[in-house]
Amino acid sequence: MRALHKSSGAALWAVFIFAAGLAAPDRAAAQEGDAQLGLPPGTTAPDAQVEDLDGNEVSLLEVVGGGPALIEFWASWCEQCELLQPEIDAVQERFGEKIKVVAVAVAVSQSVRRVRRHVDRHDPGYTFVYDAKGEAVRAYEALTTSIVVLVDGEGRIVSTGVGPKQGLVEAVEGMLGDGATPG
């Protein structure tokens, strides 16, 4: 029994270390760390079948469109997503005409009905889709929530970050070549 306890403790510790490695504190740390977060920059953004909030199957890349995009892997229960919300809102407000913001609601511990209620209450001004089958999560290697992927106008991944403070306004400015200072 003692050997079982030791091996269980080791397994739990390994899970903790793995999870801690995924939870990089910001965009820079996520890119400079030893472990790659999501798909590497320069990779063509993959497509995946997701659902709109009416339950219709749609292509994620069709929702994103042909221009630059910010894709957030999100959940209504995710505290880091809630803390990240002001950055996403600032990107939508400042760059909404130049970049498509899409929240991909993961299907873990939430239903499309719950996502729809969130959107109705908060009216974020950008598109939410539901990843019912986990295709987008797998395609983008989004192993946690609060992951944000920036995609350029050529359809290539520019960067991937995770956590509540990612410097998204600055990252989008850099991607778009907008030298204006945040206002």
Side-chain angles (χ1 to χ4, degrees), residues 141-166:
E141 299 178 14
L143 302 177
T144 186
T145 52
S146 79
I147 286 184
V148 174
V149 180
L150 294 181
V151 180
D152 68 15
E154 303 295 318
R156 288 185 304 267
I157 293 173
V158 173
S159 65
T160 301
V162 66
K165 295 186 187 283
Q166 296 188 37

Side-chain angles (χ1 to χ4, degrees), residues 2 38 49 56 66 123 168 176:
R2 183 169 221 185
Q49 293 302 303
N56 302 306
D123 189 23
L168 294 175
L176 297 175

